[in-house]
């Protein structure tokens, strides 16, 4: 079957209902046949872009936790003694401690200049006085007999109680 499409062929616009030449008709995105002067392109609102949601959560998140206090290895021979003085100075670079913190020493090795290893490793620990960022002092019950700069081997300093 043949359709008319010559110069006398007319078409009725779906939008305005007016008669236009058949050859000047176009099809819109919605299927309507309209004259080229009535044509309206598809608007962006008719087909919005699909947006992905912003990632806001972690897939395998774990809550923040507070780390347990641990003993810190001191430098070699960290203890400084003065004869006839019960104050012992400890060298611990950038220790981050404050005055009145309790510190317990472990694994103290000799030679110790007049103080006993048992006394330095007191299980209750010692209340310290911060001297500066690298030194702090504490008081022992017996004064050492000699002055010594160093002693204690590779001791460690930490809280009075350690937890796992």
């Amino acid at each position: 079957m043949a359709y008319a499409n010559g110069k006398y062929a007319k078409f009725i616009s779906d939008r305005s209902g007016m008669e236009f030449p058949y050859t000047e008709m176009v099809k819109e995105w919605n299927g309507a046949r309209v004259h080229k002067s009535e044509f309206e392109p598809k608007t962006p609102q008719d087909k919005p872009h699909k947006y992905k949601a912003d990632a806001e959560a972690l897939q395998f998140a774990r809550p923040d936790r507070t780390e347990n206090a641990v003993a810190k290895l001191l430098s070699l021979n960290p203890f400084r003694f003065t004869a006839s003085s019960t104050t012992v100075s400890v060298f611990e670079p950038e220790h981050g401690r404050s005055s009145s913190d309790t510190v317990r020493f472990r694994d103290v090795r000799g030679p110790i200049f007049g103080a006993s290893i048992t006394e330095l490793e007191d299980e209750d620990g010692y209340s310290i006085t911060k001297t500066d960022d690298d030194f702090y002092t504490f008081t022992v019950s017996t004064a050492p007999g000699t002055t010594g700069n160093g002693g204690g081997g590779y001791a460690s300093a930490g809280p009075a109680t350690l937890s796992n």
Side-chain angles (χ1 to χ4, degrees):
M1 172 183 263
Y3 295 101
N5 61 5
K7 64 180 180 178
Y8 298 111
K10 302 291 183 192
F11 202 97
I12 304 297
S13 170
D14 290 336
R15 172 158 299 127
S16 65
M18 293 177 58
E19 181 183 283
F20 291 100
Y22 186 83
T23 56
E24 295 179 4
M25 300 304 283
V26 292
K27 187 175 181 180
E28 282 189 337
W29 58 272
N30 59 4
R33 301 284 295 195
V34 296
H35 187 257
K36 59 185 175 181
S37 66
E38 299 175 327
F39 179 79
E40 291 182 3
K42 189 170 186 177
T43 63
Q45 291 84 358
D46 291 334
K47 187 174 181 188
H49 294 288
K50 292 184 179 179
Y51 291 101
K52 292 176 70 176
D54 291 339
E56 295 179 8
L58 299 175
Q59 185 173 5
F60 301 109
R62 294 200 170 40
D64 194 15
R65 64 186 186 142
T66 303
E67 295 294 329
N68 295 328
V70 295
K72 182 179 174 187
L73 185 64
L74 299 175
S75 60
L76 181 62
N77 298 324
F79 299 106
R80 311 306 197 242
F81 301 95
T82 305
S84 303
S85 173
T86 58
T87 302
V88 179
S89 180
V90 180
F91 175 66
E92 183 181 350
E94 299 179 17
H95 54 75
R97 301 184 192 280
S98 302
S99 291
S100 75
D101 283 354
T102 301
V103 176
R104 180 178 173 195
F105 301 102
R106 295 173 174 82
D107 302 320
V108 178
R109 307 247 189 267
I112 304 295
F113 299 100
S116 71
I117 291 174
T118 308
E119 184 174 18
L120 291 175
E121 290 184 342
D122 183 21
E123 65 183 30
D124 294 331
Y126 294 97
S127 179
I128 66 165
T129 302
K130 178 180 175 180
T131 308
D132 60 29
D133 289 340
D134 296 332
F135 286 93
Y136 54 87
T137 60
F138 65 95
T139 305
V140 293
S141 59
T142 57
T146 59
T147 297
N149 209 11
Y154 286 107
S156 62
T161 57
L162 292 177
S163 57
N164 292 339

